[in-house]
């Protein structure tokens, strides 16, 4: 009973509980840190006009490029249908990244943040879409591998390109179906994940706590993608009908019951 039920369940849910409370803490810290530095900057700017010997801390503004990129990432994610739990997790992570940005700029110790991701969920739940949105914001060369067809030589080919003109800042590797890679293949990536030369975004339709190498999993944020509900799908269906009417200049008559039947038959995809 311990090996077959309790341990597997604890491996799945204990990390989620820890992450949830940690993310709540960082969300509160972001508010406190922002307000604190705003107060410091106001006092410093006032004092600097009276005494030039007092060093200027530097104003924290929402126009900072990094913070603006994070906000645009969240805005694009919010435009996607469904994915409520993923959006919440990404929002918490963005709050933490903002804390790091603010603390670093003000010479304070910042918490370490993982920028590697493991996405788990059924096919058609948006894993690839979200991976591409995140990759676009990282301003690094993007490589795509499907582990069902890729081999060790494909990994080594990507590693060989590290340090080049277009990969000086590292690369993003989107590894689909990572569960198809064995432990040795996943271990090859570990060294470069630790140095930051490779930012890994992996996806799997299996339970990552059983199929992803522990050392990679411990360095990654795990997001669970759930199937879309019929209510999630009804909204884009209605927009599609309206779009066709305007685009084709036709009148489409379809009742709510028919739309719901289509939504139900899509099986969350």
């Amino acid at each position: 009973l311990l090996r077959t039920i309790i341990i597997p369940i604890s491996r799945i849910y204990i990390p989620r509980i820890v992450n949830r409370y940690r993310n709540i803490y960082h969300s509160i810290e972001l508010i406190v840190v922002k307000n604190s530095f705003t107060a410091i900057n106001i006092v410093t700017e006032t004092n600097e006009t009276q005494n030039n010997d007092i060093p200027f801390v530097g104003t924290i503004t929402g126009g900072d490029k990094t913070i603006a990129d994070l906000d645009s990432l969240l805005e694009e994610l919010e435009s996607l249908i469904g994915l409520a739990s993923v959006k919440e997790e990404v929002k918490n992570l963005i709050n933490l990244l903002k804390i790091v940005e603010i603390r670093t700029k003000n010479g304070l110790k910042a918490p370490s943040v993982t920028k590697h991701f493991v996405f788990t969920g059924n096919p058609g739940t948006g894993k690839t879409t979200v991976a591409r949105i995140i990759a676009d914001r990282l301003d690094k060369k993007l490589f795509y591998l499907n582990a069902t067809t890729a081999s060790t030589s494909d990994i080594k080919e990507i590693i060989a390109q590290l340090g080049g003109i277009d990969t000086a800042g590292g690369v993003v590797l989107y590894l689909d179906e990572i569960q198809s890679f064995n432990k040795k293949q996943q271990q090859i990536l570990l060294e470069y994940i630790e140095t930051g030369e490779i930012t890994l975004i992996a996806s799997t339709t299996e339970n990552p706590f059983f199929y992803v190498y522990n050392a990679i999993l411990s360095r990654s944020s795990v997001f669970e993608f759930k199937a879309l509900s019929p209510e999630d799908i009804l909204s884009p269906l209605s927009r599609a009908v309206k779009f066709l009417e305007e685009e084709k200049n036709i009148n489409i008559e379809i009742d709510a019951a028919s739309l719901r039947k289509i939504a139900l038959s899509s099986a969350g995809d």
Side-chain angles (χ1 to χ4, degrees), residues 87-128:
K87 291 173 183 176
E88 184 64 26
E89 293 292 342
V90 172
K91 184 177 180 179
N92 291 331
L93 180 61
I94 286 175
N95 283 341
L96 179 54
L97 290 172
K98 287 181 178 180
I99 291 172
V100 172
E101 183 75 12
I102 294 171
R103 282 180 170 272
T104 302
K105 285 195 170 186
N106 287 271
L108 297 177
K109 184 179 179 180
S112 59
V113 183
T114 176
K115 294 183 180 178
H116 308 288
F117 306 93
V118 174
F119 296 162
T120 177
N122 292 329
T125 50
K127 299 187 297 295
T128 303

Side-chain angles (χ1 to χ4, degrees), residues 68-195:
D69 284 346
L70 293 174
D71 288 336
S72 67
L73 165 62
L74 185 59
E75 184 179 342
E76 189 164 357
L77 285 175
E78 288 291 350
S79 68
L80 300 179
I81 302 300
L83 304 178
S85 61
V86 172
K87 291 173 183 176
E88 184 64 26
E89 293 292 342
V90 172
K91 184 177 180 179
N92 291 331
L93 180 61
I94 286 175
N95 283 341
L96 179 54
L97 290 172
K98 287 181 178 180
I99 291 172
V100 172
E101 183 75 12
I102 294 171
R103 282 180 170 272
T104 302
K105 285 195 170 186
N106 287 271
L108 297 177
K109 184 179 179 180
S112 59
V113 183
T114 176
K115 294 183 180 178
H116 308 288
F117 306 93
V118 174
F119 296 162
T120 177
N122 292 329
T125 50
K127 299 187 297 295
T128 303
T129 301
V130 174
R132 293 194 180 281
I133 291 174
I134 293 176
D136 287 344
R137 297 302 189 286
L138 294 177
D139 196 25
K140 296 180 180 181
K141 187 173 182 179
L142 173 64
F143 290 91
Y144 173 85
L145 286 180
N146 189 307
T148 58
T149 56
S151 63
T152 303
S153 60
D154 293 313
I155 301 175
K156 291 181 177 179
E157 186 177 334
I158 294 174
I159 292 172
Q161 297 185 49
L162 295 174
I165 295 176
D166 59 342
T167 60
V171 303
V172 177
L173 172 60
Y174 178 50
L175 183 57
D176 200 7
E177 305 293 348
I178 188 175
Q179 77 274 5
S180 296
F181 267 5
N182 59 38
K183 182 178 178 180
K184 185 177 179 180
Q185 288 173 310
Q186 294 185 38
Q187 282 177 323
I188 295 174
L189 294 169
L190 185 59
E191 175 186 347
Y192 302 95
I193 290 173
E194 289 180 329
T195 60

